[in-house]
Amino acid sequence: KTKRIYLIDIRHEDLRMEIADELLDLANPRRLGGFGETFRFPFQTIEDVVILDDRTLGVLDDNNFPFSAGRTPGKPDDNEFITVRLSRPLKADPRVYR
């Protein structure tokens, strides 16, 4: 029902957590990948989230071939890599970009 990416800021005592994005409800105004205005990344095995720049995340899944069928029921998934443009900057520690 939900697949979220959380940003946890350990620079503060309260470990502020914010949702960086909802992977089942990504805006897709250019209808990339043959999908409508909403793109979904419905996989159980998100392997990596990489900060590419202050507003862009790379999200990668591993399909565990042939057992994962998140995109099309009954059909093994391909591995997928998407980039997600965030609506606001992450303000991540600059060491992340090295």
Side-chain angles (χ1 to χ4, degrees):
K1 295 185 179 192
T2 61
K3 296 215 181 277
R4 294 183 176 146
I5 296 173
Y6 288 92
L7 171 65
I8 301 171
D9 189 343
I10 61 173
R11 295 174 290 188
H12 302 279
E13 289 181 22
D14 60 0
L15 295 177
R16 299 173 191 175
M17 290 197 317
E18 299 175 33
I19 298 172
D21 239 310
E22 168 58 65
L23 295 176
L24 296 178
D25 189 25
L26 295 167
N28 189 17
R30 290 190 251 164
R31 299 175 186 231
L32 298 174
F35 300 95
E37 291 185 20
T38 301
F39 182 84
R40 291 172 175 74
F41 203 67
F43 304 106
Q44 294 178 14
T45 53
I46 303 301
E47 297 286 331
D48 290 296
V49 176
V50 180
I51 297 174
L52 299 175
D53 63 43
D54 206 39
R55 288 196 166 210
T56 310
L57 300 176
V59 184
L60 301 85
D61 88 295
D62 175 4
N63 68 0
N64 295 318
F65 189 83
F67 303 108
S68 180
R71 177 110 18 234
T72 305
K75 181 181 177 210
D77 292 316
D78 295 323
N79 290 334
E80 291 188 25
F81 174 95
I82 61 171
T83 57
V84 177
R85 183 79 172 153
L86 303 173
S87 60
R88 58 192 163 102
L90 290 170
K91 300 179 184 171
D93 186 307
R95 292 174 291 180
V96 170
Y97 305 109
R98 293 185 185 169

